[in-house]
């Protein structure tokens, strides 16, 4: 029996040392040490031994079991170590490999133009304000002194949501004047850029969605002179020192007096050319002194406070700034176009 045990040990050690995986090692453990394994099978025959032989064989059997167990745990560690090494090799990162090239996006020309305007006004102490594009008719019209029945409220020009015309897509950023005056502490200096919507057909100069920038100042002693001085300073920053402006009388329901401001054509210097359509001037914005009725409606005493407001078209500004000839290019998002800025 001793010989059988020694032979089993020899065979087991050889097999175990050749095991290639933890699974194979486990199979061998069952084969040699398991309940139905070879060692157990031999030990079952111990009953037939004499009383002198039994402890000796028992000792040998224990040693054999111990050596097989040691070999198994040693191999387990070896296999684990080997697996880790292989994994490390498999997952090696080649830091010298060239990286994936990411295509950088471009800032949209409209955003570049907007950022420039914002910067200038923020430098003058204005706060940037954003508000809803889905607006109440009250804010878009009524509170701006544009009563029911006014032609600007026509269904043909405005996108309404409700049958009763109470909710709409704002047609101008001017409702932000009301929102500012109703919620902010005086004095007020705000700039409110955003999208506006009108029922226009798309062509080279029209789009049913476009952008405006609203400006509003309300304080004691604010006059038309401060409106002109501010806008002149802004225009010089945008288009260069010495750029001339022209203020023409106009009408808006929510300003009195009202005006439009033109900028001298950068192309011809005012002589008249293709860019300014022979005018020498290019219209940039509508403006005026906030109507006393509008101030009053927002709970501001027009006897104490006065203010001015303007509304500037951002597309027109961006198109001039970047010499873009067709408005549609701005919204088509063709990368070949956007890449140029
Ligand atoms: N909201 C006017 C427009 O869309 C522009 C404007 C703004 C005029 C503020 C006066 C004051 O034409």
């Amino acid at each position: 029996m001793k010989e059988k045990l020694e032979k089993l040990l020899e065979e087991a050690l050889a097999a175990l040392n050749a095991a290639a995986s933890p699974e194979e090692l486990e199979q061998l453990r069952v084969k040699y040490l398991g309940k139905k394994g070879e060692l157990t099978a031999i030990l079952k025959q111990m009953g037939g031994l004499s009383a002198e032989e039994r402890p000796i064989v028992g000792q040998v059997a224990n040693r054999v079991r111990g050596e097989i167990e040691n070999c198994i745990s040693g191999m387990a560690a070896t296999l684990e170590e080997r697996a880790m090494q292989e994994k490390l090799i498999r997952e090696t990162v080649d830091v010298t490999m060239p990286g994936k090239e990411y295509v950088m996006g471009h800032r949209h020309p409209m955003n570049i133009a907007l950022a420039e305007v914002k910067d200038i006004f923020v430098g003058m102490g204005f706060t940037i304000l954003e508000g809803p594009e889905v607006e109440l008719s009250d804010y878009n019209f009524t509170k701006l002194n544009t009563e029911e029945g006014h032609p600007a409220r026509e269904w043909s020009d405005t996108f309404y949501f409700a049958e009763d015309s109470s909710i709409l897509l704002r047609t101008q950023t001017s409702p932000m004047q009301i929102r500012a005056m109703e919620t902010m502490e005086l004095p007020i200096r705000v700039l409110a850029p955003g999208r506006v919507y009108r029922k226009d057909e798309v062509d080279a100069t029209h789009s049913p969605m476009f952008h405006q920038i609203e400006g509003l100042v309300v304080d004691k002693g604010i006059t038309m002179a401060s409106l002109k001085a501010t806008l002149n300073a802004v225009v010089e920053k945008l288009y260069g020192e010495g750029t001339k402006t022209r203020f023409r009388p106009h009408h808006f329901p929510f300003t009195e007096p009202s005006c439009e401001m033109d900028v001298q054509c950068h192309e011809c210097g005012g002589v008249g050319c293709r860019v300014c359509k022979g005018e020498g001037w290019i219209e940039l914005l509508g403006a005026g002194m906030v109507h006393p009725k509008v101030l009053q409606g927002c709970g501001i005493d027009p006897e104490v406070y006065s203010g001015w407001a303007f509304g500037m078209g951002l597309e027109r500004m961006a198109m001039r700034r970047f010499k873009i000839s067709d408005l549609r290019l701005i919204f088509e998002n063709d990368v070949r176009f956007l890449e140029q800025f």
Side-chain angles (χ1 to χ4, degrees):
M1 254 187 106
K2 265 169 74 181
E3 293 77 57
K4 266 194 191 166
L5 284 167
E6 294 294 353
K7 207 170 149 247
L8 176 72
L9 177 61
E10 200 178 307
E11 195 191 303
L13 292 184
L16 288 169
N17 281 317
S21 67
E23 294 74 35
E24 203 182 325
L25 195 63
E26 173 59 14
Q27 276 168 17
L28 291 170
R29 189 189 63 77
V30 173
K31 178 173 181 212
Y32 293 111
L33 301 184
K35 269 196 195 124
K36 291 175 186 161
E38 296 185 14
L39 183 64
T40 317
I42 295 174
L43 292 181
K44 271 184 186 154
Q45 299 162 14
M46 271 179 63
L49 294 176
S50 66
E52 299 87 65
E53 273 179 314
R54 213 175 292 159
I56 301 165
V57 173
Q59 243 176 20
V60 175
N62 280 339
R63 180 173 52 78
V64 166
R65 173 185 294 278
E67 281 191 36
I68 292 178
E69 276 171 352
N70 279 344
C71 184
I72 288 175
S73 54
M75 263 321 271
T78 308
L79 287 175
E80 200 177 313
E81 168 74 4
R82 199 185 296 163
M84 175 58 85
Q85 288 304 331
E86 279 166 9
K87 193 168 171 213
L88 283 175
I89 289 164
R90 232 182 308 121
E91 293 177 0
T92 302
V93 175
D94 180 358
V95 291
T96 64
M97 225 156 74
K100 272 190 205 147
E101 202 179 322
Y102 288 100
V103 183
M104 276 296 272
H106 291 256
R107 282 175 84 195
H108 195 284
M110 290 286 287
N111 268 323
I112 300 173
L114 176 60
E116 278 178 12
V117 178
K118 273 188 188 171
D119 261 8
I120 294 171
F121 278 95
V122 167
M124 292 176 157
F126 281 67
T127 303
I128 309 291
L129 201 62
E130 282 189 30
E133 291 167 30
V134 175
E135 186 54 281
L136 298 169
S137 287
D138 252 9
Y139 282 79
N140 196 84
F141 293 129
T142 317
K143 286 168 184 266
L144 286 165
N145 195 30
T146 313
E147 300 296 332
E148 220 133 326
H150 192 283
R153 301 184 69 142
E154 288 291 329
W155 273 72
S156 55
D157 301 327
T158 305
F159 293 105
Y160 285 102
F161 285 100
E163 251 338 288
D164 64 0
S165 316
S166 60
I167 302 170
L168 45 71
L169 284 174
R170 66 178 178 192
T171 61
Q172 50 186 355
T173 43
S174 298
M176 291 310 292
Q177 289 182 33
I178 307 298
R179 292 190 176 273
M181 287 190 278
E182 283 184 350
T183 57
M184 295 172 82
E185 301 244 345
L186 293 163
I188 291 170
R189 272 194 227 124
V190 290
L191 193 74
R195 296 188 189 90
V196 300
Y197 302 83
R198 290 181 196 173
K199 282 190 182 167
D200 281 326
E201 294 293 331
V202 175
D203 66 26
T205 53
H206 292 88
S207 159
M209 186 282 295
F210 57 102
H211 296 74
Q212 285 189 338
I213 303 177
E214 196 81 8
L216 172 71
V217 170
V218 183
D219 200 351
K220 287 175 182 159
I222 296 294
T223 66
M224 197 84 180
S226 109
L227 168 69
K228 290 179 75 171
T230 306
L231 291 178
N232 279 336
V234 170
V235 163
E236 290 209 328
K237 286 218 169 90
L238 279 175
Y239 299 114
E241 240 165 88
T243 307
K244 289 206 166 55
T245 58
R246 176 175 84 172
F247 292 78
R248 285 178 288 102
H250 201 76
H251 170 78
F252 297 106
F254 40 91
T255 46
E256 183 57 37
S258 303
C259 62
E260 277 189 329
M261 188 189 81
D262 301 335
V263 178
Q264 196 162 52
C265 179
H266 59 284
E267 190 70 26
C268 62
V271 185
C273 69
R274 206 174 43 87
V275 174
C276 57
K277 300 195 182 85
E279 290 282 321
W281 298 88
I282 297 166
E283 183 197 317
L284 190 69
L285 55 85
M289 299 304 294
V290 181
H291 199 293
K293 271 174 85 176
V294 174
L295 289 173
Q296 209 144 32
C298 296
I300 297 171
D301 185 352
E303 296 295 329
V304 182
Y305 286 94
S306 56
W308 52 252
F310 69 83
M312 187 192 299
L314 186 57
E315 277 76 6
R316 194 170 292 180
M317 217 210 91
M319 284 170 78
R320 255 248 308 294
R321 166 84 170 66
F322 297 111
K323 298 193 165 62
I324 299 166
S325 57
D326 193 318
L327 178 64
R328 286 166 288 200
L329 289 166
I330 291 181
F331 301 122
E332 275 167 0
N333 284 338
D334 186 325
V335 190
R336 290 167 300 178
F337 169 75
L338 295 175
E339 267 174 357
Q340 298 172 40
F341 305 99

